[in-house]
Amino acid sequence: MTREEDIKKAVEVMRQGGVILYPTDTVWGIGCDATNAEAVKKVYDIKQRDDSKALICLVDSDARLQRYVRDVPDVAWQLIDSLKEGGKPTTLILDGAVNLAPNLIAEDGSIGIRITNEPFSKELCFRFQKAIVSTSANISGEPAAQNYHDIDPRVLDAVDYVCWSRRQEHYPHTPSSIIKLGKGGEVTIIRK
């Protein structure tokens, strides 16, 4: 299967409200349409996770990020620009989430969102034309799946489609850094 066919199939499944497993710029992720509350609920069920713990999502560009955050603060753009120079993938927690499934948004109205530069996940986001949920492919509380072969069989069986791309990798991958940006410009590092 070509990468293009793999992406086309994953997009088709997400457009129908399905859940996929896919390689990201960090660890393998469980994904779905970030605007579809039923699909997001399926992800919480697969992870056996309480929906009060917000999930993050991936987008492919600055423009797409602005579709989901009411006012992106200047400090966020500065961070995003500095990370484009090859820094560690970093998820930003931003206030004022809009146009996303309500059960994806934290109680305080914030969303964890990351612009991916990894070729597969970036192309997937671009082709889907919406934000995609990206939460580690594991049962809540268990280690994140760094590579395809690390994914729990229960997770594999629970999703609607498993991407073929990058399944053969055996590299160490780590979750993203997480930085919360407050309304007043406060910066809090949640995970290095």
Short mmCIF file of all heavy atoms in Angstrom, two decimals, residues 56-58 83 88-93 111-114 176-180 191:
data_model
loop_
_atom_site.label_atom_id
_atom_site.label_comp_id
_atom_site.label_asym_id
_atom_site.label_seq_id
_atom_site.Cartn_x
_atom_site.Cartn_y
_atom_site.Cartn_z
N ILE A 56 -5.45 16.00 23.05
CA ILE A 56 -4.86 17.02 22.18
C ILE A 56 -5.21 16.74 20.72
O ILE A 56 -5.71 15.66 20.39
CB ILE A 56 -3.33 17.13 22.37
CG1 ILE A 56 -2.64 15.86 21.90
CG2 ILE A 56 -2.99 17.44 23.81
CD1 ILE A 56 -1.14 16.01 21.81
N CYS A 57 -4.96 17.72 19.87
CA CYS A 57 -5.18 17.49 18.45
C CYS A 57 -4.04 18.06 17.62
O CYS A 57 -3.27 18.91 18.09
CB CYS A 57 -6.54 18.00 18.00
SG CYS A 57 -6.92 19.68 18.41
N LEU A 58 -3.95 17.54 16.41
CA LEU A 58 -2.91 17.94 15.46
C LEU A 58 -3.53 18.73 14.32
O LEU A 58 -4.65 18.42 13.89
CB LEU A 58 -2.24 16.72 14.83
CG LEU A 58 -1.26 15.88 15.62
CD1 LEU A 58 -0.65 14.81 14.72
CD2 LEU A 58 -0.17 16.72 16.24
N LEU A 83 10.09 26.67 17.07
CA LEU A 83 10.05 25.20 16.96
C LEU A 83 10.20 24.72 15.52
O LEU A 83 10.60 23.59 15.29
CB LEU A 83 8.75 24.67 17.57
CG LEU A 83 8.62 24.91 19.07
CD1 LEU A 83 7.20 24.65 19.54
CD2 LEU A 83 9.61 24.04 19.83
N LYS A 88 11.99 20.12 19.55
CA LYS A 88 11.16 18.97 19.91
C LYS A 88 9.69 19.32 19.64
O LYS A 88 9.25 20.44 19.93
CB LYS A 88 11.36 18.67 21.40
CG LYS A 88 10.54 17.49 21.87
CD LYS A 88 10.79 17.16 23.33
CE LYS A 88 9.95 15.95 23.71
NZ LYS A 88 10.03 15.63 25.10
N PRO A 89 8.91 18.37 19.10
CA PRO A 89 7.48 18.64 18.92
C PRO A 89 6.86 19.11 20.23
O PRO A 89 7.08 18.51 21.28
CB PRO A 89 6.91 17.29 18.49
CG PRO A 89 8.07 16.60 17.82
CD PRO A 89 9.28 17.03 18.62
N THR A 90 6.13 20.21 20.15
CA THR A 90 5.56 20.83 21.34
C THR A 90 4.09 21.14 21.15
O THR A 90 3.70 21.76 20.17
CB THR A 90 6.33 22.14 21.67
OG1 THR A 90 7.71 21.81 21.88
CG2 THR A 90 5.78 22.81 22.90
N THR A 91 3.30 20.65 22.10
CA THR A 91 1.87 20.90 22.12
C THR A 91 1.64 22.15 22.96
O THR A 91 2.17 22.28 24.07
CB THR A 91 1.12 19.71 22.75
OG1 THR A 91 1.39 18.54 21.97
CG2 THR A 91 -0.37 19.95 22.83
N LEU A 92 0.85 23.08 22.42
CA LEU A 92 0.50 24.29 23.15
C LEU A 92 -0.92 24.16 23.69
O LEU A 92 -1.82 23.72 22.97
CB LEU A 92 0.58 25.51 22.23
CG LEU A 92 1.95 25.80 21.62
CD1 LEU A 92 1.88 27.03 20.73
CD2 LEU A 92 3.00 25.98 22.70
N ILE A 93 -1.10 24.52 24.94
CA ILE A 93 -2.45 24.57 25.51
C ILE A 93 -2.85 26.03 25.46
O ILE A 93 -2.23 26.89 26.09
CB ILE A 93 -2.49 24.01 26.94
CG1 ILE A 93 -2.04 22.55 26.94
CG2 ILE A 93 -3.89 24.16 27.53
CD1 ILE A 93 -1.96 21.91 28.31
N ILE A 111 -7.59 24.19 24.73
CA ILE A 111 -7.33 23.01 23.90
C ILE A 111 -5.82 22.82 23.77
O ILE A 111 -5.08 23.80 23.67
CB ILE A 111 -7.99 23.14 22.50
CG1 ILE A 111 -7.83 21.85 21.68
CG2 ILE A 111 -7.45 24.34 21.73
CD1 ILE A 111 -8.58 20.67 22.20
N GLY A 112 -5.41 21.57 23.79
CA GLY A 112 -4.02 21.23 23.51
C GLY A 112 -3.92 20.99 22.01
O GLY A 112 -4.63 20.14 21.47
N ILE A 113 -3.06 21.73 21.33
CA ILE A 113 -2.99 21.65 19.87
C ILE A 113 -1.55 21.75 19.41
O ILE A 113 -0.74 22.47 20.03
CB ILE A 113 -3.90 22.73 19.24
CG1 ILE A 113 -4.17 22.45 17.78
CG2 ILE A 113 -3.39 24.12 19.51
CD1 ILE A 113 -5.38 23.22 17.24
N ARG A 114 -1.20 21.02 18.36
CA ARG A 114 0.17 21.01 17.87
C ARG A 114 0.17 21.04 16.35
O ARG A 114 -0.62 20.34 15.72
CB ARG A 114 0.89 19.75 18.37
CG ARG A 114 2.35 19.66 17.99
CD ARG A 114 3.08 18.56 18.75
NE ARG A 114 2.82 17.21 18.26
CZ ARG A 114 2.16 16.28 18.93
NH1 ARG A 114 1.67 16.51 20.13
NH2 ARG A 114 1.98 15.08 18.41
N SER A 176 5.25 14.59 23.05
CA SER A 176 5.62 16.00 22.87
C SER A 176 5.82 16.70 24.21
O SER A 176 5.34 16.24 25.24
CB SER A 176 4.52 16.73 22.09
OG SER A 176 3.36 16.87 22.89
N SER A 177 6.53 17.81 24.14
CA SER A 177 6.54 18.73 25.28
C SER A 177 5.16 19.38 25.31
O SER A 177 4.48 19.45 24.28
CB SER A 177 7.59 19.83 25.07
OG SER A 177 8.88 19.28 25.02
N ILE A 178 4.72 19.82 26.48
CA ILE A 178 3.43 20.52 26.58
C ILE A 178 3.65 21.83 27.33
O ILE A 178 4.20 21.84 28.43
CB ILE A 178 2.37 19.66 27.31
CG1 ILE A 178 2.15 18.34 26.57
CG2 ILE A 178 1.05 20.44 27.44
CD1 ILE A 178 1.16 17.40 27.25
N ILE A 179 3.25 22.92 26.69
CA ILE A 179 3.38 24.25 27.29
C ILE A 179 2.01 24.91 27.31
O ILE A 179 1.34 24.98 26.28
CB ILE A 179 4.38 25.12 26.50
CG1 ILE A 179 5.78 24.48 26.52
CG2 ILE A 179 4.42 26.54 27.06
CD1 ILE A 179 6.81 25.19 25.66
N LYS A 180 1.60 25.38 28.48
CA LYS A 180 0.32 26.09 28.61
C LYS A 180 0.59 27.59 28.58
O LYS A 180 1.45 28.08 29.29
CB LYS A 180 -0.38 25.70 29.91
CG LYS A 180 -1.74 26.36 30.08
CD LYS A 180 -2.49 25.77 31.26
CE LYS A 180 -3.82 26.42 31.54
NZ LYS A 180 -4.79 26.45 30.46
N ARG A 191 4.89 19.50 30.51
CA ARG A 191 5.74 18.32 30.29
C ARG A 191 6.91 18.74 29.42
O ARG A 191 6.72 19.30 28.36
CB ARG A 191 4.92 17.20 29.61
CG ARG A 191 5.73 15.94 29.36
CD ARG A 191 4.86 14.78 28.91
NE ARG A 191 4.32 15.00 27.57
CZ ARG A 191 3.23 14.41 27.08
NH1 ARG A 191 2.53 13.59 27.84
NH2 ARG A 191 2.83 14.64 25.85
#
